[in-house]
Amino acid sequence: MITKKKRALLYLLGKKQSLTKLQLVKLLFLASQDNPLYDFVPYRYGPFSFQMYTDISHLERDGYLLETNTMVTSLNHEFPLPDRSIQRSIDQVVRQFGDKTERELIDHIYSHYPETTIFSEIEKRQTYERDETGVVTIGYEGKSIDRFLSILIDSKVGKVIDVRRNAFSMKYGFSKNQISNYLEHMGITYLHMPELGIQSTRRQNLTDEGYAQLFHEYHQELGEKAAYLNTIKTIAEDEKVALLCFEAKASDCHRGVIAERFREEGMEVVDL
């Protein structure tokens, strides 16, 4: 499937035929400022997209481009063009920056977007400290892995505690091994706490009333899981903890019940 993002990537690459991976990432970052395409996270050389690198691999597999360790080359196969507004954004970026070297692109982005340099191995133009504590909750529904990581970074989260019963997802980036790896790249630790999850068999074919009853029962069951809740509270005294599950809204998820339990004990919990 040629997604909106992949169409934009192929369109930009077709303008230059061959680019280094760093140039491709930086040019798409600039194009995304006017017309959101990919999400980006601050990384070793400024803005980076894990999703984009995965798309490059998929597009090579499907015969649209050739990828080496450092280069990406268009194979000029036909593909559905992106929307006109996206084409205009990319055309403008290519006219202005298409002939820039890697160093020139980095210098421009570092000067104009210093927030992307907080983890840079080249030069940090903005400082960043994970100096907050407490508990927040987050769901990955509707978020790319890059957007998800950006939210955690902005919120100064130091540890993600995964409260899914089974830490598996069909969505790219969010199964246990994948997400723990991506979090590690961002300096965030990961802990899976399946004991706080709800068995999938209890959630099948439920109505709104059924979910309300399930969450009521789960709230009562949390009394038997005090050791796990206390572990979360202890960790949250030293760093900010994010409770992770799938649903976008905490009110639709059992992590919201955990958050409510903490609030009843006088803790402040923010739903990201």
Side-chain angles (χ1 to χ4, degrees):
M1 177 182 178
I2 306 297
T3 63
K4 170 186 172 181
K5 292 180 173 64
K6 290 178 181 177
R7 293 180 188 185
L9 189 157
L10 288 172
Y11 182 78
L12 190 154
L13 185 61
K15 292 291 181 178
K16 300 299 295 181
Q17 291 303 305
S18 187
L19 290 165
T20 68
K21 288 182 177 178
L22 189 149
Q23 287 173 318
L24 181 59
V25 170
K26 300 305 183 263
L27 290 172
L28 276 170
F29 169 77
L30 292 170
S32 294
Q33 301 311 302
D34 291 330
N35 206 324
L37 301 171
Y38 283 90
D39 296 309
F40 293 84
V41 293
Y43 200 37
R44 296 172 180 170
Y45 307 112
F48 183 80
S49 171
F50 291 106
Q51 179 67 61
M52 187 188 303
Y53 263 51
T54 297
D55 284 353
I56 289 171
S57 296
H58 289 172
L59 288 168
E60 181 183 44
R61 177 199 63 195
D62 295 338
Y64 288 96
L65 54 79
L66 179 65
E67 176 189 13
T68 67
N69 287 339
T70 60
M71 300 294 298
V72 184
T73 302
S74 172
L75 295 179
N76 297 316
H77 286 191
E78 291 187 1
F79 63 92
L81 292 174
D83 295 342
R84 288 292 181 86
S85 62
I86 294 175
Q87 292 183 42
R88 287 193 293 270
S89 295
I90 292 174
D91 290 344
Q92 181 177 348
V93 165
V94 170
R95 283 194 299 269
Q96 187 173 358
F97 300 102
D99 294 327
K100 301 292 186 183
T101 65
E102 289 185 347
R103 184 71 235 191
E104 288 171 333
L105 285 170
I106 288 173
D107 287 343
H108 174 81
I109 290 172
Y110 277 35
S111 295
H112 291 80
Y113 306 95
E115 68 277 5
T116 68
T117 72
I118 58 174
F119 301 140
S120 174
E121 296 178 357
I122 300 172
E123 179 186 2
K124 293 178 174 62
R125 298 283 184 92
Q126 185 169 304
T127 60
Y128 177 81
E129 296 290 339
R130 290 190 175 94
D131 53 3
E132 297 181 5
T133 58
V135 176
V136 298
T137 84
I138 187 169
Y140 63 86
E141 182 182 17
K143 299 179 180 69
S144 69
I145 185 61
D146 300 298
R147 178 60 184 150
F148 173 81
L149 294 171
S150 292
I151 293 171
L152 296 179
I153 292 167
D154 290 344
S155 301
K156 298 190 174 183
V157 168
K159 181 183 289 291
V160 166
I161 296 182
D162 190 340
V163 296
R164 293 176 291 176
R165 183 79 171 192
N166 299 304
F168 172 79
S169 177
M170 295 295 292
K171 185 177 177 68
Y172 163 72
F174 292 97
S175 289
K176 182 175 182 177
N177 290 339
Q178 289 179 325
I179 196 169
S180 61
N181 181 54
Y182 289 131
L183 289 168
E184 182 180 358
H185 283 307
M186 298 295 108
I188 301 171
T189 57
Y190 171 87
L191 174 63
H192 185 208
M193 201 173 278
E195 297 85 358
L196 290 179
I198 296 178
Q199 292 180 339
S200 59
T201 54
R202 297 179 64 187
R203 292 185 278 108
Q204 292 177 356
N205 303 318
L206 290 181
T207 62
D208 289 345
E209 291 182 355
Y211 268 106
Q213 178 61 31
L214 174 63
F215 290 161
H216 174 73
E217 295 171 359
Y218 181 73
H219 187 278
Q220 294 178 318
E221 293 166 6
L222 285 177
E224 303 172 2
K225 302 178 186 293
Y228 301 105
L229 300 181
N230 288 336
T231 295
I232 294 172
K233 289 188 288 186
T234 298
I235 296 171
E237 292 175 356
D238 296 322
E239 59 185 335
K240 185 174 283 187
V241 172
L243 304 181
L244 163 69
C245 200
F246 168 70
E247 288 81 3
K249 295 174 61 178
S251 58
D252 295 336
C253 175
H254 73 285
R255 75 179 187 278
V257 182
I258 299 172
E260 187 58 32
R261 177 65 176 256
F262 286 149
R263 293 184 183 112
E264 290 170 358
E265 297 176 4
M267 293 178 61
E268 180 181 355
V269 181
V270 176
D271 299 316
L272 299 178

